[in-house]
Amino acid sequence: MRLECRVNNQAVSVETAPMTRLIDLLREDLRLTGTKEGCGEGECGACTVLIDTKPACSCLVPAVQVQDAHVVTVEGLAKGEQLAAVQQAFLEFGGAQCGICTPGFLVMAQALLNEHPHPTREQVREALAGNLCRCTGYQKIVDAVENALAGAEHARQ
Amino acid sequence: MMSIGKAVVRTDGRAKVTGQAIYVDDLRPEGCLYGATVRSERAHARILGIDLDPSFDWTDITVVTAEDIPGENVVALMTDDQPVLVDGECRHVMEAVALVAAPTRERALQAAHRVQVRYEELPVLLDPAQAENSPIHIFGTDNVFKRLVIDRGTSTGMGVVHKATYHTSLAEQLYIEPQGMLAIPEKDGSLTIIGSLQCPYYIHKALKRVLGHSRFHVVQAVTGGGFGGKEEFPSMVAAHATLLAIKSGRPVKMIYRRDEDLRASTKRHPAIIQITSECTPEGELLSWDARIIVDGGAYNTLTPVVLSRLVLHVTGPYRIPKVHLEGVAVATHTPPNGAYRGFGAPQAQWAVERHMDRIARELGIDPLELRRKNLLKDGDLTATGGVLHDTAAFLVLEEALEAARAPLLQRAPPPGAGIAHWKRGRGLALAFHGCGFTGNGESWLKGKAALELVGSDLRILTGSTDIGQGTDTIFPQIVASELGIPVERVSMAPHDTAQVPDSGPTVASRTTMVVGSVVQSCAKKLRLALQAETGLASNNFAELLAARNSDAVLKVEHVYEPDASIRWNDADYSGDAYPTYGWSANIVDLEVDPDTGEIRYLRLVTATDVGRAIHPVLVSGQIEGGALQALGWANLEEVVRDQHGCMRNDRLTNYIIPTSLDAPEMVTRLIEVPYAAGPFGAKGVGELPLDAPAAAAAAALEQALGLVLDDLPMTPERVLLAMERGHAA
Ligand code: FES
Ligand code: FES
């Protein structure tokens, strides 16, 4: 099938099988390798992307489902050289260690922050409960997300 | 300009938060094939034949068996008992029998399924307790990988005796990036091996034997977690990818699927530890006898060293006048166990801390007071008769107690629970951890590093990898601080065996402390070289640089020099088993549902002696991440095996690791009691956080329910079972 969609604000048109996994479309066809595969069955969240602002595990989504949709991956979070607040916060608070889970966490956190710019710690923990990290113990990830926008607003003042 | 102690932005941070960091699976060289492994389905069998299904189209498939190995069929590590591919006889399930490569992943997996292995079943030994006397031989004539006895006196016969047996369970490292390796045949006939790994030179050593030559180099890709799981196991993956690349003449990428990774890769050694102690009625320890059985699985891997670290930590951070310790590591027909962060010490200190709680309970003494009475301090002797220095046992204990006085952060109740009948408890556990290799390991190893001055910038060359812990950030900090220059002017050479010297493996909490000190010495040597070149006596790096009238690259190298104050006798296992120790105190608050046995962690307070926090954010990140692995080991993680010894729960849906909701809030306090020979006083800290949290959780559970659990894991089912059996204190 011919798939037409937008990825990170760019129009995309590719020939693909309808049941191609979205993660393979992104990583293999579009060479957007920021999206990671940790399990291939919806359990680790490393492959999380936004589909029309909603987070989804791209290892479970067939390509046909993003026809005409807007997909945002970790590569689409920064505005050019300007990191998104949540990316900046991950750097400051130490939210990334080995980094393999980081793209999924950032995309998921961005989805949360779009809805709740100032989440409580418990909201952050709930929102990120589908993403696994084996390096950090989550403490610094929760710190980063909780303070992401507080930090950004502080910086603008 | 002193960047030591400052949380500079990690050098790989920007690439990691923008998705630009390149892990092995992100590489796709022209013409790349995908590899898959055909594995044994029997625990012990003679291989009668390996057949290719004639109904399958094999035209675009490369098949490799043991016959295709140009050199020796061995994964070189401590002993040469493990083959790269089964030749004649398989000794555990999931052992690699053959390899296939195909133009797509799907084709590779299909082809692997169409390779049929014919077996003749042989008798199987699965129970480690039976191994030594079994007529079935796996390793030598007694199935013993290693036996270790430390005898510094036995029972005085005058104290109160406490005796019990403790079990610890298998555990998976569960790096989120699965095992992966890419082998590329180059035009000049050499090979490039790139992968997810901790120890490029382990792979170099192993591949040299498999290939019979060394016209290849090993490069570390950005690595998505290791925790020991990428210490020795990647040598096997690298050999497999390389064999396929040689036969096909194409690049071959081998990325494990999660289920394969869980079933085939190494796990933490399970241990059975029996302790018989003797103390005064007031709780002062007099003697300590420990008998340990460790299950190594079918091949030796690193098991003898794990056993030795276990035995050396099985007295915990306590002063005991007479100790008798006996450990044996045995072979069974199960997938080999191997390195997992902690390397024997977590098993040991689970047993020690549970035993200390037993003594306190039976004597009616406060567990905290019992510990205070027996904690090690400077000048005390270890189990091997080493004299302690830079101890921090009391400091970390008091710091943790102070931090735990703060009220718990309110957390929302779990869905459908949080009701009044959940019971709360608090538990304490302590640990110490020997930093760096055991005994004379570092002296034998002679870790090297080098430093290059290129223009006005510096480049560090080391085989020590960054697997997330931050080596690539900390080493530049050490050099920059030694020379008094901004950290931005120091970079790291790629971790590529063609470019960097062998600094020893990235294991054993040795990278910052041992290799970091080698790197610091390189910086000192570079200053001396500049002074010699310029004839200037100045210590000011900028001045020295300005006085240079050449822009030739200046390179210095340094080899590890053993700490002269350390004495170790390997023959009788006496002296300083480790150059120094890190110390840690852990306080867990949890609640437990008495109806379901479900544990919910509320808060973990840790106080950890790190010698010197070179980068406080990175080091506390190490502590928090390690501690959560220990808490997962305590109540969630359980490897369930079938009758062949194969892991049944081979998915993330049923091998459960903690999520952000399972994790407690963490309060992480750092204590700095410097080690003189560490860089700026730093000690090793990578593994210490794994040692005590599980026992602290058990103590908290005991307080909450009056339930004594001596075996891991404390899953809800096991908690309930124990309650039914009425194991109440
Ligand atoms: S790879 Fe998609 S959830 Fe793990
Ligand atoms: S940073 Fe390594 S898994 Fe999260």
Side-chain angles (χ1 to χ4, degrees), chain A residues 95-102 105 132-136 141, chain B residues 176:
Chain A
Q97 286 187 26
C98 82
I100 196 78
C101 70
T102 308
F105 271 97
L132 295 177
C133 175
R134 192 62 154 172
C135 292
T136 62
I141 292 179
Chain B
I176 301 295

Side-chain angles (χ1 to χ4, degrees), chain B residues 187-502:
Chain B
K187 288 206 183 67
D188 63 1
S190 71
L191 290 146
T192 301
I193 320 297
I194 307 174
S196 181
L197 57 97
Q198 292 176 222
C199 311
Y201 276 96
Y202 269 20
I203 295 176
H204 199 271
K205 173 181 160 191
L207 272 186
K208 219 157 51 180
R209 301 274 300 275
V210 175
L211 299 180
H213 65 75
S214 51
R215 290 186 304 281
F216 64 89
H217 64 130
V218 180
V219 189
Q220 187 215 15
V222 179
T223 295
F227 319 118
K230 292 173 186 168
E231 175 175 353
E232 77 280 16
F233 193 81
S235 296
M236 173 85 81
V237 190
H240 290 168
T242 303
L243 290 171
L244 284 167
I246 292 173
K247 186 145 184 196
S248 65
R250 307 258 295 266
V252 173
K253 187 154 81 167
M254 198 141 207
I255 308 289
Y256 280 16
R257 290 200 326 197
R258 180 60 64 184
D259 57 333
E260 176 183 28
D261 192 305
L262 284 169
R263 287 199 305 265
S265 71
T266 53
K267 305 279 176 283
R268 187 195 300 292
H269 291 75
I272 307 168
I273 303 172
Q274 185 191 71
I275 298 177
T276 311
S277 67
E278 199 190 15
C279 62
T280 65
E282 295 74 39
E284 196 180 319
L285 292 169
L286 300 171
S287 76
W288 191 270
D289 181 299
R291 309 284 157 123
I292 300 137
I293 302 175
V294 161
D295 183 358
Y299 296 108
N300 194 27
T301 70
L302 298 163
T303 294
V305 207
V306 171
L307 179 75
S308 127
R309 189 174 281 270
L310 197 163
V311 169
L312 290 167
H313 286 77
V314 82
T315 47
Y318 304 111
R319 182 180 50 251
I320 307 165
K322 297 193 183 309
V323 295
H324 181 89
L325 315 174
E326 272 189 50
V328 61
V330 297
T332 58
H333 283 124
T334 57
N337 296 312
Y340 182 177
R341 196 175 182 184
F343 214 71
Q347 294 94 315
Q349 294 182 90
W350 162 261
V352 171
E353 287 301 80
R354 287 280 65 208
H355 196 74
M356 290 300 277
D357 284 345
R358 169 175 306 272
I359 296 172
R361 185 189 314 128
E362 291 178 3
L363 291 182
I365 304 180
D366 179 354
L368 171 61
E369 286 320 310
L370 178 71
R371 286 173 169 84
R372 278 205 180 112
K373 245 183 208 130
N374 294 289
L375 268 186
L376 288 167
K377 54 181 174 8
D378 281 6
D380 283 343
L381 297 184
T382 66
T384 54
V387 183
L388 284 166
H389 47 87
D390 346 308
T391 62
F394 284 95
L395 284 175
V396 295
L397 176 60
E398 298 312 324
E399 181 79 11
L401 291 171
E402 190 272 319
R405 275 192 210 111
L408 290 177
L409 215 69
Q410 270 315 316
R411 291 187 65 173
I419 352 184
H421 75 275
W422 282 62
K423 297 271 189 290
R424 285 199 174 185
R426 169 175 289 191
L428 164 79
L430 309 177
F432 74 151
H433 197 101
C435 307
F437 277 145
T438 303
N440 296 327
E442 296 293 349
S443 312
W444 286 326
L445 194 85
K446 298 190 175 51
K448 288 180 212 54
L451 184 62
E452 270 178 5
L453 175 67
V454 187
S456 61
D457 290 342
L458 292 157
R459 210 162 79 114
I460 301 167
L461 298 98
T462 166
S464 294
T465 55
D466 193 324
I467 52 173
Q469 84 283 41
T471 311
D472 289 355
T473 305
I474 287 165
F475 282 6
Q477 280 182 282
I478 291 172
V479 168
S481 298
E482 178 59 37
L483 296 176
I485 59 174
V487 67
E488 297 75 30
R489 293 219 342 240
V490 189
S491 65
M492 296 287 283
H495 302 292
D496 173 349
T497 56
Q499 298 187 46
V500 298
D502 186 356

Side-chain angles (χ1 to χ4, degrees), chain A residues 42-103:
Chain A
E43 281 297 320
C44 74
C47 64
T48 306
V49 299
L50 300 181
I51 303 175
D52 291 333
T53 74
K54 292 268 172 298
C57 290
S58 62
C59 70
L60 296 180
V61 175
V64 58
Q65 269 186 29
V66 298
Q67 185 70 272
D68 300 323
H70 184 201
V71 178
V72 176
T73 70
V74 67
E75 289 95 340
L77 295 181
K79 301 251 176 314
E81 285 298 289
Q82 178 70 42
L83 294 182
V86 68
Q87 290 171 306
Q88 192 59 43
F90 263 59
L91 291 184
E92 276 165 29
F93 286 87
Q97 286 187 26
C98 82
I100 196 78
C101 70
T102 308

Side-chain angles (χ1 to χ4, degrees), chain B residues 17-33:
Chain B
V17 301
T18 52
Q20 304 303 315
I22 301 299
Y23 299 75
V24 60
D25 197 18
D26 303 336
L27 296 164
R28 194 180 62 186
E30 194 57 37
C32 183
L33 302 179

